[in-house]
Amino acid sequence: MSEKYLISIDQSTQGTKALLFDSQGNLIKRTDKAHRQIINEKGWVSHDPEEIYQNTLEVVRRLVEESGIEKDSIIGLGISNQRETSLAWDKNTGKPIGQAIVWQCARAVDICERVEAMGQGERIREKTGMNLSPYFPAAKIAWILENEEGAREKAAEGTICHGTVDSWLIYKLTGGKSYKTDYSNASRTQLFNIFELKWDEEICHMFGIDVKNMAQVCDSDSNFGETDFEGFLPKPIPIHGVLGDSHGALFGQGCLKPGMIKSTYGTGSSIMMNIGEQPVLSTHGVVTSLAWSMKGKVNYVLEGNLNYTGAVITWLKDDLELISSPGETQELAQKASKEDQTYLVPAFSGLGAPYWDSRAAAAVVGMTRTTKKAELVKAGLECIAYQIADVVKAMSEDAGMKVEELRVDGGPTRNTYLMQFQSDIARAAVQVPDAEELSGIGPAYAAGLALGLWGPEIFQKIQRKKYTPEMPEETAKIKYQGWKNAVEKVLHNNNK
């Protein structure tokens, strides 16, 4: 047996993918399966943990069987996961306690307001790098403990596990032998002190969580345990790379040095900048997290999250019915009048980083009688680039570093108009990779490095198309100022 293979599981909000890599780091096969989005009459968003686990087993079995490779040629596993989605389960039986609370779900807002009323919001930000929010697992886990039957009793007995989806999959795949998470996921819980690199007992206490019930935090490239996928493989293989999905994309993009930055263009967007081994607390509206810990060395990131980027294109197609497919946006934007000064501010559910105004309302600003379909579509595309430029500029100011290039991934990066406009407005080179599965590639690279399957040259595997600024700088400044003026009109708090 000469060829060796790695599997990477990318467990995302919509479904679970299994990716197969050969010993040269080539992605040679992918299988995936969607899971249910469980939304009740209150708008709460949940997932079934057992469904996610069974789907994980299924996509791995299909991946191996359909590829035709020998089962004993598989040497390791990496995992990336939807990050803030939170769940609890019985430590003895492995049975879920209720459903998983999806990152989008704000059912724990009352818990955050209670902690805020205790005057602890700024204390939490100073320790975790993040503003108090029901978005993060701290409040979600507290909600489970307070509302799911038997949860509080199991917590008191020490027979409960709770955390993020990576911990759940590791626990189940290892037959309950490993209850672990990695530094990237831990840093997104709002329970982890990013300066002392440990679960923060004071913050856990604020949320009614016993720190003894939290998972063991490990290096992102460490051995998290072994799995044979419930007997599917002839012998167990090590789980050797675990990263939250955005961190996985940062690592897969090769953003290993301070100042390197990536932006994922999905439904929303995660923009992440590697700031090196020393944390910087943002004063410009982004958050501080850990990138990862590899070989005992921690890297920090600044991150900004946007609610509506790729979702704007979906809105143009499904709600306004201005286009029948996302691909039409490129041609319409190129045909639109260059003189038109229409801006779309997509604050459909408020504005995220760097404004953090949950009461802001969406608006179209600057229309004239000559604004037609093409101009509206152009404004929709351009608002994606403007929002990302806002976050890139905020990070640049926080880190005291000029951003020279932006590494990007996601479906909308195929749009050449958007990528060129992004480069023009951000005043930086935009690098578009020839690979799409960056969040799954990251943990695969980490696992392969840890197992000695490949060395640092693996980061040269991805080829990129480069866009550089073509618009005159003065024109770009005028356009960007127009965007800032449009945003100012929709902010609920105009002092921001």
Side-chain angles (χ1 to χ4, degrees):
M1 182 190 74
S2 56
E3 188 59 280
K4 295 177 180 176
Y5 298 93
L6 271 175
I7 293 174
S8 181
I9 294 165
D10 182 11
Q11 202 301 296
S12 69
T13 310
Q14 298 297 322
T16 306
K17 298 175 195 160
L19 309 171
L20 185 66
F21 296 83
D22 66 17
S23 57
Q24 287 76 50
N26 298 308
L27 173 55
I28 57 173
K29 179 74 179 171
R30 165 187 155 182
T31 53
D32 50 288
K33 185 169 186 178
H35 55 258
R36 290 174 300 147
Q37 305 299 310
I38 305 164
I39 304 172
N40 72 3
E41 68 284 352
K42 297 178 183 176
W44 295 356
V45 190
S46 305
H47 289 159
D48 178 350
E50 281 289 1
E51 181 185 10
I52 286 174
Y53 175 59
Q54 292 302 325
N55 286 0
T56 300
L57 295 176
E58 181 184 328
V59 293
V60 168
R61 288 179 184 131
R62 280 179 27 221
L63 182 80
V64 175
E65 289 168 353
E66 291 172 15
S67 67
I69 65 167
E70 297 292 331
K71 291 181 183 179
D72 59 4
S73 64
I74 302 164
I75 64 166
L77 173 69
I79 297 173
S80 65
N81 59 288
Q82 50 169 322
R83 294 183 300 171
E84 291 82 10
T85 296
S86 307
L87 69 160
W89 63 97
D90 187 298
K91 186 177 284 188
N92 297 324
T93 67
K95 295 291 184 190
I97 299 169
Q99 294 173 329
I101 305 177
V102 180
W103 58 270
Q104 299 154 311
C105 184
R107 76 182 72 172
V109 64
D110 290 349
I111 292 171
C112 286
E113 288 175 355
R114 188 172 75 209
V115 174
E116 184 70 63
M118 292 158 53
Q120 298 293 348
E122 183 57 24
R123 178 88 172 141
I124 288 170
R125 192 185 83 87
E126 288 171 355
K127 289 181 160 200
T128 69
M130 297 179 294
N131 295 319
L132 180 60
S133 171
Y135 178 90
F136 298 114
K140 288 176 162 62
I141 293 170
W143 190 95
I144 291 170
L145 292 173
E146 292 178 21
N147 291 278
E148 293 292 355
E149 187 177 348
R152 182 61 76 193
E153 291 75 14
K154 291 183 194 302
E157 296 164 1
T159 58
I160 197 170
C161 298
H162 42 51
T164 43
V165 174
D166 59 311
S167 296
W168 164 247
L169 290 179
I170 291 164
Y171 187 91
K172 294 292 283 185
L173 288 169
T174 62
K177 291 177 184 168
S178 288
Y179 177 36
K180 297 179 178 180
T181 190
D182 92 299
Y183 279 85
S184 71
N185 280 292
S187 74
R188 298 295 297 181
T189 60
Q190 204 154 59
L191 295 168
F192 192 76
N193 189 312
I194 63 170
F195 301 94
E196 298 178 3
L197 300 179
K198 65 180 185 180
W199 299 120
D200 192 287
E201 291 199 32
E202 181 188 13
I203 296 176
C204 285
H205 182 71
M206 290 176 199
F207 287 96
I209 295 167
D210 189 334
V211 74
K212 294 196 292 293
N213 291 329
M214 299 298 294
Q216 179 186 351
V217 185
C218 304
D219 279 1
S220 310
D221 59 350
S222 63
N223 188 332
F224 288 82
E226 295 187 329
T227 183
D228 60 7
F229 298 101
E230 296 200 355
F232 177 67
L233 298 182
K235 63 180 188 298
I237 59 170
I239 303 168
H240 243 307
V242 174
L243 289 157
D245 51 12
S246 290
H247 310 256
L250 188 75
F251 193 73
Q253 285 273 26
C255 294
L256 310 180
K257 296 177 183 174
M260 297 186 78
I261 187 169
K262 73 91 195 174
S263 177
T264 299
Y265 295 68
T267 303
S269 283
S270 161
I271 304 99
M272 228 181 225
M273 174 192 269
N274 189 328
I275 55 172
E277 295 176 41
Q278 295 300 318
V280 176
L281 280 180
S282 174
T283 57
H284 292 87
V286 294
V287 302
T288 309
S289 298
L290 294 169
W292 47 70
S293 178
M294 304 271 185
K295 295 182 172 55
K297 187 180 287 188
V298 168
N299 274 54
Y300 289 87
V301 289
L302 292 172
E303 181 175 4
N305 295 97
L306 302 170
N307 297 329
Y308 275 84
T309 51
V312 173
I313 297 171
T314 306
W315 177 72
L316 292 171
K317 178 173 75 75
D318 295 346
D319 298 294
L320 294 194
E321 299 180 357
L322 292 178
I323 54 173
S324 55
S325 74
E328 292 175 34
T329 58
Q330 181 172 310
E331 185 182 350
L332 282 165
Q334 287 166 338
K335 277 172 39 181
S337 167
K338 289 182 172 51
E339 313 309 315
D340 189 84
Q341 295 180 26
T342 301
Y343 292 89
L344 168 65
V345 184
F348 298 109
S349 54
L351 285 172
Y355 304 103
W356 297 109
D357 189 341
S358 59
R359 296 193 181 187
V364 178
V365 178
M367 281 197 300
T368 67
R369 182 63 182 81
T370 60
T371 302
K372 301 184 179 69
K373 178 169 84 168
E375 286 73 29
L376 273 175
V377 170
K378 177 169 79 77
L381 262 191
E382 291 179 350
C383 80
I384 298 173
Y386 285 128
Q387 290 182 92
I388 286 168
D390 279 339
V391 175
V392 169
K393 288 174 190 294
M395 289 178 173
S396 178
E397 290 176 33
D398 275 330
M401 301 176 189
K402 182 168 173 21
V403 175
E404 302 288 351
E405 74 165 28
L406 181 61
R407 296 191 174 187
V408 300
D409 54 85
T413 63
R414 292 191 287 270
N415 189 307
T416 58
Y417 180 90
L418 175 58
M419 291 298 98
Q420 183 58 56
F421 191 75
Q422 184 71 78
S423 178
D424 289 335
I425 293 301
R427 308 313 291 173
V430 170
Q431 300 270 15
V432 183
D434 60 358
E436 290 187 7
E437 307 291 350
L438 270 303
S439 57
I441 286 172
Y445 282 6
L449 286 162
L451 290 163
L453 188 60
W454 45 61
E457 75 282 349
I458 193 65
F459 294 104
Q460 309 307 314
K461 191 79 188 169
I462 294 172
Q463 302 299 305
R464 292 178 170 84
K465 179 179 180 180
K466 185 177 183 179
Y467 295 82
T468 54
E470 293 179 356
M471 184 183 292
E473 187 165 4
E474 193 55 38
T475 306
K477 280 182 179 175
I478 292 168
K479 284 183 173 292
Y480 185 65
Q481 187 56 51
W483 161 256
K484 299 294 279 186
N485 294 343
V487 170
E488 192 70 20
K489 288 179 171 31
V490 309
L491 289 178
H492 182 74
N493 177 1
N494 280 315
N495 295 321
K496 286 192 177 182

